[in-house]
Amino acid sequence: MKKFTGFTLIEVLIAIAIVAILFGIAFPSYQSHIQKSNRIAAQLALTKLAQEFERVNARQGAYPTTLPTIDATDSYTYALPSVTDDTFTITATPKMSDECGTLSITQTGETASSKSSGCWD
């Protein structure tokens, strides 16, 4: 008689259960990390845009009325909701749900988020 070697159904189910538990713990953490890195990229893009606006203002005496083309993450939409000769506000709105909501920066360097106050820290 030959003795068959291999895994039993119970052993396979236990292995699948362990993998599912590990995935259930790791995946939300991974999503949170991706969301945070996208937020940091958006903050960097907003800061670069504000610097560009200041350079234009120093040369021409007024802030531009349109956003320049930027190299930024696809996770946010950038907009210029208000601009005058002396002031501007640039916003970054997340395309997916984010705990910080819309990020913004002004000509004074004041930063804000629509949902939480600690997002720029």
Side-chain angles (χ1 to χ4, degrees), residues 62-97:
Y63 291 113
T65 56
T66 60
L67 285 175
T69 304
I70 56 170
D71 223 9
T73 177
D74 294 347
S75 301
Y76 283 79
T77 303
Y78 300 91
L80 189 60
S82 67
V83 63
T84 66
D85 287 344
D86 300 330
T87 64
F88 70 84
T89 301
I90 308 170
T91 62
T93 306
K95 292 182 180 177
M96 302 288 283
S97 178

Side-chain angles (χ1 to χ4, degrees), residues 4-43:
F4 294 106
T5 58
F7 296 108
T8 65
L9 180 60
I10 297 297
E11 291 171 331
V12 171
L13 290 176
I14 290 172
I16 290 172
I18 291 171
V19 169
I21 290 170
L22 290 175
F23 181 77
I25 294 169
F27 190 69
S29 176
Y30 172 74
Q31 283 183 318
S32 174
H33 176 72
I34 294 299
Q35 187 178 57
K36 186 175 181 180
S37 66
N38 287 339
R39 185 180 321 123
I40 290 170
Q43 291 170 345

Side-chain angles (χ1 to χ4, degrees), residues 52-65:
E52 179 64 27
F53 271 53
E54 290 300 330
R55 280 193 290 276
V56 170
N57 186 35
R59 287 187 210 127
Q60 300 174 358
Y63 291 113
T65 56

Side-chain angles (χ1 to χ4, degrees), residues 39 43 46 76 89-94 98-106 110-121:
R39 185 180 321 123
Q43 291 170 345
L46 285 174
Y76 283 79
T89 301
I90 308 170
T91 62
T93 306
D98 187 343
E99 64 190 29
C100 291
T102 300
L103 303 171
S104 64
I105 191 166
T106 66
E110 182 181 339
T111 57
S113 64
S114 63
K115 290 185 181 177
S116 177
S117 61
C119 291
W120 278 86
D121 296 336

